[in-house]
């Protein structure tokens, strides 16, 4: 996936993926499925951000405001109840694609697991070839994660080693599932 112009500076900087990126991805992905009620989007993002702590929940309102001010999201009137919904703009769509394509450097970490989940939540919104590239990138990130863990359990007790083995097995299961998704994508 290509980095597209019009991506906000706070997202485009050469830095690791962070909580703000996932809030943006979740909001833009939700709106990509169709105009979404503002209250539902706020609740969804607050729930997502709660996994990162109170400071992340506090970011939600500011992120929505930034997406609206940057014309990534716009208000769309709901004719059924007169309320407002958030709709994706063309700029928002480009940012969504950019964020969806950003690599997750450590998929076994807490932030990496949430990023992995979000990517899989919205991967169906992109074309088959892009989906395959994204899934292959996720497999590569998980393989890299496994390779980086050599010796990590040295110096810990037997309970720590059991937990380490559990973590490693979870990453192996993730790789197997991602490979299954690649096969399903190709059918």
């Amino acid at each position: 996936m290509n980095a597209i112009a019009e991506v906000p500076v706070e997202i485009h900087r050469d830095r690791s993926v962070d909580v703000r990126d996932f809030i943006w991805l979740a909001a833009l992905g939700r709106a990509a499925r169709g105009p979404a009620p503002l209250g539902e989007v706020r609740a969804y993002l607050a729930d997502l951000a709660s996994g990162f702590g109170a400071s992340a929940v506090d970011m939600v309102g500011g992120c929505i405001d930034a997406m609206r001010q940057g014309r990534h999201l716009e208000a769309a009137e709901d004719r059924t109840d007169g309320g407002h919904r958030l709709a994706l703009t063309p700029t928002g769509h480009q940012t969504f694609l950019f964020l969806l394509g950003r690599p997750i450097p450590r998929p076994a970490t807490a932030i990496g697991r949430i990023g992995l989940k979000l990517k899989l939540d919205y991967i169906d919104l992109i074309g088959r070839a892009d989906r395959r590239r994204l899934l292959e990138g996720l497999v590569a990130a998980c393989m890299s994660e496994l390779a980086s863990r050599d010796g990590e359990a040295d110096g810990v007790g037997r309970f720590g080693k059991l937990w380490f083995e559990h973590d490693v097995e979870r990453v192996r299961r993730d790789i197997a599932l991602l490979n299954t998704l690649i096969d399903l994508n190709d059918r």
Side-chain angles (χ1 to χ4, degrees):
M1 299 192 192
N2 299 327
I4 311 293
E6 301 294 325
V7 175
V9 173
E10 65 266 15
I11 288 175
H12 195 256
R13 278 185 282 168
D14 187 22
R15 59 162 175 72
S16 296
V17 177
D18 68 13
V19 174
R20 183 167 298 135
D21 294 328
F22 293 136
I23 292 171
W24 276 66
L25 177 60
L28 296 171
R30 180 72 172 82
R33 295 205 181 277
L38 177 59
E40 279 184 26
V41 172
R42 283 187 188 278
Y44 170 63
L45 295 177
D47 185 54
L48 169 75
S50 69
F52 298 112
S55 63
V57 175
D58 293 341
M59 284 185 213
V60 169
C63 286
I64 290 174
D65 290 345
M67 284 181 262
R68 290 175 85 175
Q69 289 171 1
R71 299 193 192 327
H72 300 273
L73 293 173
E74 63 188 5
E77 190 173 323
D78 181 359
R79 296 178 190 261
T80 59
D81 67 6
H84 288 284
R85 293 176 176 264
L86 293 177
L88 195 63
T89 66
T91 298
H93 186 258
Q94 297 303 321
T95 304
F96 167 71
L97 293 176
F98 173 79
L99 289 170
L100 197 61
R102 286 208 59 199
I104 300 172
R106 299 283 317 264
T109 63
I111 193 168
R113 300 223 34 95
I114 291 173
L116 184 62
K117 177 201 178 308
L118 282 173
K119 286 177 181 280
L120 294 176
D121 284 351
Y122 300 114
I123 196 170
D124 63 301
L125 297 174
I126 60 176
R128 181 178 287 193
D130 288 333
R131 226 177 5 244
R132 185 178 222 298
R133 277 192 298 276
L134 180 63
L135 289 166
E136 287 172 343
L138 293 172
V139 168
C142 288
M143 296 293 286
S144 177
E145 179 79 18
L146 284 179
S148 73
R149 296 191 133 201
D150 277 346
E152 193 175 299
D154 294 347
V156 299
R158 64 182 178 157
F159 297 112
K161 285 182 182 177
L162 285 172
W163 189 259
F164 173 80
E165 290 169 12
H166 168 76
D167 261 356
V168 167
E169 184 55 35
R170 183 177 57 208
V171 176
R172 286 189 183 121
R173 284 192 317 270
D174 289 348
I175 292 168
L177 178 58
L178 290 165
N179 282 319
T180 299
L181 295 176
I182 291 171
D183 290 343
L184 288 173
N185 183 63
D186 292 344
R187 289 185 195 166

